Amino acid sequence: MTLRRVNILILVLIAIAFLIIVHRNLLNLNDFLRTENTDTLPGVLHPFDPDFESPRKSGVARTGEEIPVVITAAEERLGAVIAAMNSVYHNSKSNIVFNIVTMNDTADHLKLWLSKTHLNEAKYKIIPFEPKILNGKISKDPQKADTVKPLTFARFYMPLFIPDAEKAVYLDDDVIVQGDIQELFDTNLKAGHAAAFSDDCDSASSKGIVRGAGNQNNYIGFLDFKKEAIKKLGMRANTCSFNPGVFVANLTEWKHQNITNQLETWMERNVEEDLYSRTLADSVTTPPLLIVFYKRHSSIDPMWHVRHLGSTGAGNRYSPQFVKAAKLLHWNGHYKPWGRTSSFSDIWDKCDFSGRFT
């Protein structure tokens, strides 16, 4: 065999080997894409879907005034808290300070979660919550014990947690923020108003009213208007309610009006007189807020509180375009990602420290 034929044979073998490698890589890529597609659950909106992942802005310079954000961290919902905080932090260049209210026995676990994410670069304070402050203010009925979570009342005591702040944003832990929190913080509150909420009858949230839920968007859905104490207030039963899962607070005005004391007074009266509506037995946080802030609150942009995500036939009716345009999404509903009704905290049991679905 001549040298020329040997060289040609070698080139042919190299070409064949190259084609085999390319073919295998294409097969691996195809398998990868197929796996990615099968992992996506069609038709169900989850905060861990790619559309909801916040762009990483690690190392971004934080400028301007501090923006206090108050959020609670229950032991069983730490994944949700981390996801919510990540979405706030990575969608803003503002000087955000997280004020995380939690129980003493959860603090160490929370610090571990924070250390495993980009939030270790963020400013945050861990504030212990003492449940004893609620003594005499919530029912001790053992049948209601599972529905009464002490941390849900933390929002009532914000001036105690951040005494030097003049203004703050409160967020429930089951939210994903897609806009710059500075915009929400800059909400204009009218003179004499201590807080701004999103009304349940606004153009965005009205799309999410759960069918068959009755008057959950009116005061009568939360308060018993047959009780004398409620009648004496002169409130109209069909007044549009608001959702306190997201709000902006003027803490200077809050302290001036002694809002916390007013809320505690109505909590104590409910224990004695059972003033809340039976149609929403598990809603013990909203009623006192509705009373205290009746026609005395400002409004936030409805797109900063798009709720009922996960509600059967409600949040799932939102179009993809509407969801992407929303500044804040609230998963205060239920959905069936694994063939059963699951709460938001159930979902985050499946998540890693970064709040991403695993």
Side-chain angles (χ1 to χ4, degrees):
M1 183 179 293
T2 64
L3 181 61
R4 182 178 179 181
R5 288 183 177 179
V6 170
N7 289 337
I8 292 174
L9 181 59
I10 291 173
L11 288 173
V12 170
L13 292 174
I14 292 173
I16 292 173
F18 175 78
L19 290 173
I20 291 173
I21 292 172
V22 170
H23 179 67
R24 287 182 177 177
N25 286 339
L26 288 174
L27 288 176
N28 290 337
L29 177 61
N30 184 57
D31 289 339
F32 172 77
L33 292 175
R34 186 181 297 114
T35 301
E36 289 291 293
N37 289 334
T38 55
D39 284 345
T40 301
L41 298 171
V44 181
L45 294 172
H46 299 310
F48 44 73
D49 283 342
D51 287 345
F52 297 111
E53 289 181 9
S54 303
R56 294 295 183 188
K57 296 182 180 179
S58 179
V60 170
R62 304 279 165 171
T63 59
E65 64 177 326
E66 287 189 351
I67 297 181
V69 175
V70 178
I71 191 168
T72 59
E75 178 71 26
E76 68 275 13
R77 297 172 66 88
L78 291 185
V81 177
I82 297 301
M85 291 173 60
N86 264 320
S87 70
V88 172
Y89 189 67
H90 292 295
N91 279 306
S92 177
K93 296 180 181 179
S94 301
N95 188 13
I96 301 165
V97 179
F98 293 104
N99 299 274
I100 315 167
V101 185
T102 191
M103 301 293 192
N104 279 322
D105 55 1
T106 302
D108 289 341
H109 194 186
L110 174 61
K111 291 176 183 177
L112 175 61
W113 276 76
L114 291 169
S115 70
K116 299 294 183 178
T117 76
H118 283 265
L119 290 171
N120 59 10
E121 304 167 358
K123 295 180 182 178
Y124 64 85
K125 302 174 185 176
I126 296 178
I127 303 168
F129 184 79
E130 179 50 66
K132 290 181 180 179
I133 199 172
L134 301 176
N135 287 349
K137 303 178 184 69
I138 55 177
S139 174
K140 294 185 178 181
D141 185 347
Q143 294 183 346
K144 298 180 180 180
D146 292 338
T147 63
V148 178
K149 306 296 183 182
L151 282 174
T152 63
F153 297 97
R155 70 198 83 187
F156 291 6
Y157 299 95
M158 288 199 299
L160 298 180
F161 300 143
I162 43 177
D164 297 328
E166 297 181 358
K167 193 176 183 181
V169 173
Y170 172 83
L171 300 176
D172 272 354
D173 61 14
D174 51 354
V175 303
I176 291 294
V177 174
Q178 301 187 136
D180 187 339
I181 200 72
Q182 178 81 55
E183 182 182 332
L184 179 61
F185 181 76
D186 289 341
T187 297
N188 182 43
L189 276 70
K190 296 179 181 178
H193 287 181
F197 302 93
S198 178
D199 291 334
D200 285 325
C201 303
D202 62 43
S203 59
S205 65
S206 62
K207 296 180 181 180
I209 295 173
V210 182
R211 185 176 301 173
N215 296 311
Q216 289 194 13
N217 63 324
N218 293 332
Y219 267 52
I220 196 172
F222 295 87
L223 297 165
D224 188 348
F225 279 79
K226 295 179 181 179
K227 296 296 175 70
E228 193 63 27
I230 302 299
K231 287 181 181 179
K232 288 182 178 180
L233 292 173
M235 301 185 300
R236 298 186 62 175
N238 63 349
T239 300
C240 186
S241 58
F242 55 78
N243 188 300
V246 175
F247 65 89
V248 180
N250 179 335
L251 297 179
T252 301
E253 193 66 38
W254 190 294
K255 287 182 283 190
H256 176 70
Q257 297 182 27
N258 207 352
I259 296 294
T260 297
N261 182 260
Q262 291 187 55
L263 293 168
E264 289 183 323
T265 297
W266 284 106
M267 292 168 66
E268 292 168 355
R269 291 195 65 174
N270 175 65
V271 172
E272 298 171 359
E273 304 172 48
D274 196 18
L275 303 176
Y276 302 165
S277 173
R278 295 300 181 92
T279 61
L280 290 175
D282 61 342
S283 179
V284 292
T285 309
T286 303
L289 287 164
L290 292 178
I291 295 173
V292 172
F293 287 102
Y294 178 70
K295 294 189 175 181
R296 292 170 54 197
H297 69 276
S298 299
S299 298
I300 64 174
D301 182 340
M303 297 302 283
W304 268 103
H305 196 181
V306 174
R307 43 204 180 274
H308 302 293
L309 271 294
S311 297
T312 304
N316 288 334
R317 290 202 302 264
Y318 294 139
S319 69
Q321 295 80 9
F322 180 77
V323 170
K324 287 183 179 181
K327 302 297 182 66
L328 181 147
L329 302 167
H330 192 174
W331 270 260
N332 55 345
H334 297 278
Y335 33 82
K336 298 181 179 181
W338 290 287
R340 62 182 179 87
T341 300
S342 302
S343 68
F344 188 85
S345 57
D346 290 333
I347 301 301
W348 289 109
D349 288 339
K350 301 286 185 178
C351 300
D352 64 14
F353 285 115
S354 66
R356 296 180 62 187
F357 184 59
T358 54

